[in-house]
Amino acid sequence: MDAKKKLIMESAKKSFSLFGYKGTTMDQIAKIAGVGKATIYTFFANKEELLHEIIQSLIAEMKAVAEKAIAEGATSFEKIHSALYGVLVFRKEHELLIQLAHEVQQFGSTVTIEAMASIETEVVQFIAEHIERAVHNGTMKNCEPKMTAFILFKLYVALVFDWEKQNEPLTDEKILKLLQVYFGNFLNQ
């Protein structure tokens, strides 16, 4: 990737993290990057395209986190658990993703909704592919992979983000044990 393009993307990430998508201007990004606004437009048509490219890079990072987690898991269920948990911790700790999730709730702008939806779609597809492989090799019961991935993703979001709004945060191990209790017979072959 071109060094200036990378600098612009990093500067935009910083600005989006601090001021949100809505509060960020191309002038701010140019100032943070130390380039002229025209330089940004040589790489990106507009702020929306810039955010889209940043989201694609974050999706790649999240997939790398999930791949690493899957490689370390034992059973198919443990691999899927590790991947989902790793992705959600990444999402929970990444300043830009926190800001975008907040902006979706606060303003509901189409651009930020689409950005967060694209992340969810990619994560669900990634997990669905692994469920499909597990079903195919007989380590997981036959199911609808995409639907199962979607349900698991939403359940993990609830356990990682929503539960701790009124309760002590759950550890990785506690979430795994809970899911084994509730879904172990279904997910393990």
Side-chain angles (χ1 to χ4, degrees), residues 109-164:
S109 73
T110 304
V111 174
T112 55
I113 290 170
E114 287 173 1
M116 295 304 284
S118 69
I119 291 170
E120 180 177 315
T121 298
E122 290 290 333
V123 170
V124 168
Q125 182 59 38
F126 178 86
I127 297 302
E129 290 168 7
H130 287 279
I131 290 173
E132 199 170 303
R133 276 187 238 134
V135 168
H136 180 74
N137 69 27
T139 58
M140 190 175 277
K141 291 182 180 175
N142 194 23
C143 64
E144 181 78 29
K146 189 174 181 180
M147 178 75 69
T148 304
F150 175 80
I151 291 167
L152 285 172
F153 176 77
K154 291 297 186 178
L155 181 58
Y156 273 75
V157 168
L159 292 173
V160 171
F161 293 102
D162 299 335
W163 174 263
E164 69 181 43

Side-chain angles (χ1 to χ4, degrees), residues 6-142:
K6 187 175 181 177
L7 174 65
I8 291 165
M9 287 177 63
E10 287 302 317
S11 299
K13 259 195 239 185
K14 185 182 287 185
S15 186
F16 292 147
S17 297
L18 292 171
F19 308 111
Y21 175 79
K22 189 174 182 172
T24 293
T25 65
M26 294 299 250
D27 285 324
Q28 285 173 318
I29 296 168
K31 186 175 181 179
I32 293 168
V35 300
K37 196 160 86 169
T39 303
I40 296 174
Y41 289 112
T42 62
F43 297 103
F44 304 98
N46 52 39
K47 186 169 76 166
E48 185 176 339
E49 186 179 297
L50 180 52
L51 178 64
H52 176 75
E53 186 134 351
I54 290 168
I55 293 298
Q56 293 308 307
S57 72
L58 289 175
I59 288 170
E61 284 183 59
M62 291 172 92
K63 283 183 178 180
V65 166
E67 284 290 351
K68 183 177 184 235
I70 282 176
E72 295 170 355
T75 68
S76 294
F77 180 68
E78 290 170 340
K79 289 177 181 183
I80 291 167
H81 160 73
S82 295
L84 279 169
Y85 189 79
V87 162
L88 291 176
V89 167
F90 178 91
R91 181 177 144 187
K92 185 178 180 180
E93 294 174 351
H94 198 283
E95 289 179 28
L96 174 58
L97 296 175
I98 293 167
Q99 181 65 31
L100 288 176
H102 176 69
E103 203 164 320
V104 165
Q105 289 179 332
Q106 193 172 29
F107 304 114
S109 73
T110 304
V111 174
T112 55
I113 290 170
E114 287 173 1
M116 295 304 284
S118 69
I119 291 170
E120 180 177 315
T121 298
E122 290 290 333
V123 170
V124 168
Q125 182 59 38
F126 178 86
I127 297 302
E129 290 168 7
H130 287 279
I131 290 173
E132 199 170 303
R133 276 187 238 134
V135 168
H136 180 74
N137 69 27
T139 58
M140 190 175 277
K141 291 182 180 175
N142 194 23

